């Protein structure tokens, strides 16, 4: 049995086992999700909330932006509070104050000596952590004191989400528009939902000494501290990381030095000889769309960041009245995924006929129809989200056409179905173009096959977005949502990109097809070994049982293992770029691939593992160390990769045009320096200060307006300006460069196809 076949069998076995365990864990999550009661009552039979109130409150929360305006259980935006932690702290303080007044006089809790405070806190822990849910009749019972505290906190939220002038400053601090939820009945339902999420965060599971959310968030008043399992599995995650790096190092030492370069390198650029078919030429519009989405995303990102200091205004202009924070952040995060995905969709459509040399019938029509569908989806979905956030769509239509409220999965279900059908069309277009190459066989068959299978996975795994409905439990929505975000956006696009890059190097004649196939299959196995079950590290505190924490911590550590040798990958790419004179034509696409390797190590590796272990994430989830990882991994890895792939395709689409390499040099360094400054001047120091606050005072304080609007924190927000400005200049230069490929008169004649580069090339 040859090495390639063994690797294919190993990959199939790994995926079957990993997804089997992941599905089994999903069943356990579904069984043990925090219960939603039929009623919340007092001992006297007074009904505070019914199940319909809680479910309607979740609909209201989703329609106003959901995770884009504050967070629930740590997942969501960073300017407004985590509503679960905020409610929990306010309810705890209200109870302590009421008890203190009743038992010790009118001065209240804050005026008591420490020993009396300690006694009340111990009573509070027992009082709030006790599980009074009766599964037989679906009822949660709260005493009169707690009922009064719930009413007091609900009144606070009623005023906050309405238009109370006394709450204007706090709304601005939270970047909320006035009358975020204009209907009083909806505000009451919203409070019911917030209360339930806080109840799950502080109520112990039956027969356990841990809450439904594994004692998250950190809240000293109610005894929410990291569990023993949180400490234990954090240690094991480090051990798994060290062991994985050691094993990969051993493999690298054994396999290092194997010849993977062909005996004779091509004298001219083989890809310059590829016939550009009509469908390949039609992919150019995907890259124009990419640039438009990228530029709009940057603009929305700047507005979103500015909301952190002015709240409802943009340099004095009351922008929140027409474009509130929850909407700009929604579009900013959605566009990040959309423009990067557009780069890869365009690359797949370009590569298919280039691999096989076959142009299927009506392929160009399919490419054009899919492009139109992308525009319709973006415009339609974004319009629906605007209507939802402005509370003009109605709760009955919101789930299908408005704002679902789930970060990175915000668009309405109708648009998700539309996008899924579009991905199926893309899969058909790519698959039928690749099929002749797969049937031909040869040494490159496995790379083409892996390229095709990753395209299948990309198309099918978006279907995870369709596996929850409007009233699916919060824990199960999170489970399927991370299938979408982690496996679809991060997992199989990574495999697709690895296969595309390997294909490019083999077609350029710089890598032997057999050794490149082995390398790609091995890299896929290493990545998927941690990547599939590592999905669970997003779910430590999402109402999931302890085994999720154990499995997620163990396997998410393995996700970092391949990144330990990323320097070798970068150096290998650099050597290939200097192997022949004509490779100077691909200097800047390769530089973007080297940047991918760098940001893989820093963004996905260092900053990713910083927040991955359970103990780290317990204090860091939803703080600014999360977007530190998000920005440097999402753009640093996938964004840079998308730009690199786009440049490779553009070199093939315009083979005779001399590139303005000074402009590309400016693009490259502006994007990388801007991203680094954004991370180091703002996100890293802000996140670090928040973690210290979370450890010392509780999670609620790290997300509070009191902490976030200190002069130091606001200064750190303003320090985003240099990095954001440099980054934006890089994006504008990229757009100008691409436009110049079509606008420059006579450009096609400047460099004959297949010739050596002129002095203008690097």
């Amino acid at each position: 049995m040859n090495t390639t076949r063994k690797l294919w069998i190993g990959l199939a076995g790994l995926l079957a086992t990993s997804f089997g365990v992941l599905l089994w864990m999903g069943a356990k999550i579904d069984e043990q999700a925090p219960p939603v009661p039929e009623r919340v009552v007092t001992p006297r039979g007074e009904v505070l909330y019914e199940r319909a109130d809680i479910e309607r409150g979740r609909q209201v929360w989703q329609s106003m932006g959901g995770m884009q305006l504050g967070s629930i259980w740590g997942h969501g935006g960073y300017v407004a509070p985590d509503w679960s932690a905020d409610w929990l702290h306010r309810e705890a303080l209200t109870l302590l104050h009421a008890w203190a007044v009743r038992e010790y006089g009118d001065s209240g809790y804050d005026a008591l000596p420490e020993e009396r405070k300690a006694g009340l806190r111990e009573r509070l822990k027992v009082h709030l952590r006790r599980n009074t849910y009766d599964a037989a009749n679906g009822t949660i019972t709260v005493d009169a004191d707690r009922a009064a505290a719930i009413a007091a906190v609900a009144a606070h939220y009623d005023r906050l989400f309405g238009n109370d002038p006394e709450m204007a400053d706090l709304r601005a601090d939270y970047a909320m528009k006035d009358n975020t939820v204009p209907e009083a009945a909806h505000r009451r339902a919203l409070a019911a939902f917030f209360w339930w999420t806080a109840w799950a965060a502080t109520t112990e599971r039956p027969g356990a000494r841990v809450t439904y959310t594994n004692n998250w968030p950190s809240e000293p008043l109610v005894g929410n501290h990291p569990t023993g399992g949180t400490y234990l599995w954090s240690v094991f995650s480090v051990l798994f990381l060290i062991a994985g790096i050691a094993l990969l190092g051993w493999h690298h030492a054994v396999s290092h030095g194997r010849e993977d370069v062909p005996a004779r390198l091509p004298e001219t650029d083989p890809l310059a000889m590829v016939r550009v078919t009509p469908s390949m030429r039609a992919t150019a519009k995907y890259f124009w769309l990419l640039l438009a989405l990228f530029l709009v995303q940057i603009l929305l990102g700047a507005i979103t960041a500015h909301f952190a200091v002015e709240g409802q205004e943009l340099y004095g202009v009351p922008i929140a009245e027409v474009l509130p924070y929850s909407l700009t952040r929604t579009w900013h995060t959605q566009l990040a995924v959309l423009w990067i995905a557009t780069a890869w969709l365009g690359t797949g459509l370009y590569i298919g006929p280039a691999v096989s040399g076959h142009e299927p019938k009506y392929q160009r029509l399919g490419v054009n129809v899919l492009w139109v569908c992308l525009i319709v989806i973006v415009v339609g979905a974004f319009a629906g989200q605007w209507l939802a956030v402005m509370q003009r769509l109605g709760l009955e239509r919101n789930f299908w056409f408005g704002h679902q409220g789930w970060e990175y999965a915000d668009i309405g279900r109708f648009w998700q179905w539309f996008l899924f059908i579009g991905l199926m069309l893309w899969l058909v277009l790519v698959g039928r173009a690749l099929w002749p190459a797969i049937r031909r066989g040869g040494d490159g068959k496995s790379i083409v096959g892996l390229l095709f299978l990753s395209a299948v996975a990309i198309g099918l795994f978006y279907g995870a977005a369709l596996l929850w409905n409007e009233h699916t439990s919060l824990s199960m929505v999170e489970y399927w949502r991370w299938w979408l975000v982690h496996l679809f956006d991060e997992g199989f696009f990574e495999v697709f990109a690895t296969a595309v890059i390997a294909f490019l190097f083999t077609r350029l004649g710089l890598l032997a097809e057999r050794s490149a196939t082995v390398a790609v299959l091995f890299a896929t196995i290493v990545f998927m070994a941690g990547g599939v079950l590592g999905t669970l590290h997003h779910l430590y505190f999402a109402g999931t049982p302890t085994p999720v924490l154990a499995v997620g911590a163990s396997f998410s550590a393995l996700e970092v293992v391949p990144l330990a040798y990323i320097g070798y990958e970068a150096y290998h790419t650099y050597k290939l770029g200097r192997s022949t004179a004509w490779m100077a034509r691909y200097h800047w696409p390769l530089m973007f691939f080297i940047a991918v390797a760098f940001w893989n190590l820093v963004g996905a590796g260092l900053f990713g593992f910083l927040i991955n272990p359970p103990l780290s994430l317990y204090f860091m989830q939803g703080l600014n160390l999360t977007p530190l990882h998000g920005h440097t991994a999402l753009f640093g890895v996938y964004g840079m990769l998308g730009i690199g792939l786009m440049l490779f395709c553009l070199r093939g689409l315009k083979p005779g045009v001399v590139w303005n390499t000074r402009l590309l040099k400016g693009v490259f360094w502006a994007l990388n320096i801007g991203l680094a400054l954004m991370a180091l001047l703002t996100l890293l120091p802000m996140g670090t200060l928040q973690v210290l606050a979370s450890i010392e005072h509780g999670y609620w304080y790290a997300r509070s307006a009191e902490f976030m609007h200190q002069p130091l924190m606001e200064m750190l927000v303003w320090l985003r300006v240099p990095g954001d400005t440099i980054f934006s200049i890089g994006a504008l230069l990229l757009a100008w460069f691409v436009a110049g490929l079509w606008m420059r008169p006579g450009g096609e004649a400047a460099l004959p196809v297949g010739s050596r580069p002129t002095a203008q090339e690097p």
Side-chain angles (χ1 to χ4, degrees), residues 39-85:
R39 290 173 305 282
V40 181
V41 301
T42 67
R44 300 174 63 177
E46 178 187 1
V47 178
L48 302 183
Y49 297 126
E50 295 184 341
R51 184 187 188 98
D53 297 321
I54 296 171
E55 292 185 344
R56 176 55 62 96
R58 188 174 114 177
Q59 290 177 295
V60 174
W61 169 71
Q62 291 176 250
S63 72
M64 73 184 194
M67 289 180 177
Q68 305 294 356
L69 185 62
S71 58
I72 293 292
W73 294 346
H75 293 292
Y78 314 107
V79 177
D82 179 87
W83 303 114
S84 309

Side-chain angles (χ1 to χ4, degrees), residues 125-143:
K125 292 175 186 178
V126 174
H127 192 75
L128 291 185
R129 296 179 74 87
R130 183 190 305 120
N131 194 333
T132 61
Y133 174 69
D134 185 344
N137 58 24
T139 298
I140 294 175
T141 303
V142 299
D143 64 15

Side-chain angles (χ1 to χ4, degrees), residues 373-407:
C373 288
L374 279 174
I375 295 177
V376 172
I377 290 169
V378 171
V379 174
F382 283 21
Q385 288 173 333
W386 185 88
L387 290 170
V389 170
M390 302 306 287
Q391 299 293 291
R392 299 181 184 180
L393 190 62
L395 297 184
E396 295 74 18
R397 295 179 292 276
N398 179 68
F399 178 76
W400 277 90
F401 300 101
H403 200 306
Q404 284 205 45
W406 310 113
E407 193 175 24

Side-chain angles (χ1 to χ4, degrees), residues 578-644:
R578 298 176 66 86
S579 58
T580 66
W582 54 262
M583 272 301 293
R585 291 165 53 81
Y586 299 99
H587 174 74
W588 287 109
L590 291 181
M591 286 297 290
F592 277 96
F593 292 160
I594 292 172
V596 169
F598 172 80
W599 289 110
N600 236 334
L601 176 62
V602 175
L606 297 179
F607 295 152
F609 192 71
L610 174 66
I611 64 174
N612 267 13
L615 186 59
S616 299
L617 195 62
Y618 182 85
F619 293 106
M620 297 178 183
Q621 181 163 283
L623 305 183
N624 273 281
L625 291 180
T626 303
L628 171 70
H629 163 60
H631 281 75
T632 52
L634 182 59
F635 179 79
V637 178
Y638 300 105
M640 293 289 185
L641 185 58
I643 293 172

